[in-house]
Amino acid sequence: MENQMETTTNTAPMTTEVSFFARNTLLILNCLLLTIGTCGGPLIMRLYFLHGGNRVWLSSVLQSAGFPFIIAVLIVLYFCRCTTTKNKNNKTTKVFYMRPRLFLATVCIGIITGLDNYLYAYGLARLPVSTSSLIIASQLAFTAFFAYFLVKIKFTPYSINAVVLLTVGAGVLALHASSDRPKGESKKEYTMGFVMTLLAALLYGLLLPLIELTYNKAKQEVTYTLVLEIQMVMGLFATVFCVVGMIVDNDFKVIPREASNFEFGETKYYIILCASALIWQCFFLGAIGVIFCSSALLSGIIISVLLPVTEVLAVVFYKEKFQAEKGVSLVLSLWAFASYFYGEYKVTKKLKDATHSPQQSTELALANCTSI
């Protein structure tokens, strides 16, 4: 039973043959993008709400509206492939790798992403960043739960312990949530923000394994170019979903007036919007890149590991309160992270020992034969 539980995370998504160095370089690059997005995204979005912004659908759009940036990268990769293909066999270079089946699956994921963006923006409009970050940490529990059923990932006692601790940490915040309610905000609005943020964590916990499942069921070679195409389609349809919300909520009519009344001025208002779109694109691109290089669970773990960092940055820059329950939740989160990574270390060490043992036995047998 113990041997069945102690397995490493699924690394199936990376189907192309790449060198160990290239794989790890790509993984590090995506981890950096994910770090920028996880820490910077909530801070810049909260900056918008703190200084005069109040359009939730607009904030939702900004989380995915940076997808055109990927088009520029895909164009560069296309011309690189054209040059390589001509030099090799003069075959026609494909413009898009994505097949219709994968496209339809990605469209569905993009729409779910748009809904998740709205839930998260709604919550952050009413909660301090530090509180929101600790609630979002519960997404690791949801990621683990859905990964177990969707991509058949198995748990060690350490990973189960991490999930339980993160869930308890979110529960501690829920018991004393109203203690950091912003001035002028009703208890009902604050509670709705808390619930919406928790739902956003649950939905994103579903999205990460869904993306990994899409990679596994793609029935085509999964390259990093294809990953970029997937992110572009996801971003497009998440943006379309949120733009419809903006139209219904009359956001386009309000934006010029909101910009003119913004505390930092109209120019900085639009700079903040553009910076927000770019930073959030780093988040989504990094998240799906980590899934490509490793697994959905690792992507969820990295996001959760960075959330306490975001919390501390919010306390430093926005002077948010740091009550006892936040301290307890932060300690439980750090304990959960330590537990998970220690478990991964033990599993990796056990697998290495198991791999080396047959080699050592073979070498010993050869040595005995030689001595005879």
Side-chain angles (χ1 to χ4, degrees), residues 20-203:
F20 178 81
F21 176 78
R23 178 182 180 278
N24 282 280
T25 301
L26 190 59
L27 179 59
I28 291 170
L29 175 61
N30 282 287
C31 286
L32 289 174
L33 289 173
L34 190 54
T35 299
I36 293 169
T38 302
C39 295
L43 293 174
I44 196 164
M45 183 182 287
R46 187 60 181 167
L47 182 68
Y48 163 78
F49 286 119
L50 284 174
H51 297 282
N54 60 9
R55 312 309 297 178
V56 175
W57 279 113
L58 172 60
S59 298
S60 306
V61 166
L62 294 176
Q63 292 178 64
S64 56
F67 74 89
F69 170 76
I70 298 176
I71 297 175
V73 179
L74 287 172
I75 290 172
V76 173
L77 290 175
Y78 172 75
F79 284 112
C80 290
R81 291 200 309 273
C82 285
T83 303
T84 305
T85 304
K86 285 180 180 178
N87 289 339
K88 284 186 175 181
N89 46 26
N90 293 322
K91 288 184 179 179
T92 304
T93 305
K94 288 184 178 180
V95 178
F96 295 105
Y97 281 111
M98 190 179 296
R99 295 174 184 170
R101 182 172 179 271
L102 180 58
F103 176 79
L104 291 175
T106 307
V107 168
C108 294
I109 293 175
I111 293 171
I112 297 172
T113 301
L115 175 60
D116 185 63
N117 290 348
Y118 174 77
L119 294 172
Y120 180 76
Y122 187 101
L124 196 58
R126 288 156 179 81
L127 299 178
V129 175
S130 53
T131 302
S132 175
S133 295
L134 287 171
I135 298 171
I136 289 294
S138 63
Q139 64 85 25
L140 178 59
F142 298 124
T143 300
F145 175 80
F146 289 117
Y148 176 79
F149 289 102
L150 293 178
V151 292
K152 309 302 180 185
I153 197 167
K154 296 184 179 179
F155 300 105
T156 68
Y158 300 98
S159 59
I160 293 173
N161 181 54
V163 169
V164 170
L165 288 171
L166 286 168
T167 305
V168 171
V172 169
L173 279 180
L175 291 174
H176 303 278
S178 61
S179 58
D180 68 342
R181 188 167 74 242
K183 292 181 180 179
E185 187 172 285
S186 68
K187 187 176 181 180
K188 182 181 178 181
E189 288 176 331
Y190 187 91
T191 303
M192 280 297 296
F194 192 99
V195 172
M196 289 293 209
T197 305
L198 190 60
L199 287 175
L202 186 153
L203 197 56

Side-chain angles (χ1 to χ4, degrees), residues 239-305:
T239 302
V240 169
F241 177 87
C242 294
V243 165
V244 172
M246 286 184 68
I247 294 171
V248 173
D249 209 30
N250 293 318
D251 279 12
F252 288 105
K253 294 180 180 178
V254 177
I255 288 174
R257 184 171 70 248
E258 187 176 77
S260 62
N261 295 329
F262 197 65
E263 289 182 20
F264 292 156
E266 190 171 349
T267 302
K268 289 185 179 178
Y269 174 85
Y270 289 111
I271 290 174
I272 288 173
L273 296 188
C274 293
S276 182
L278 184 59
I279 291 172
W280 278 116
Q281 195 57 46
C282 289
F283 170 82
F284 285 108
L285 193 55
I288 70 164
V290 171
I291 296 172
F292 169 70
C293 296
S294 182
S295 69
L297 188 58
L298 179 60
S299 186
I301 287 292
I302 293 172
I303 293 168
S304 297
V305 166

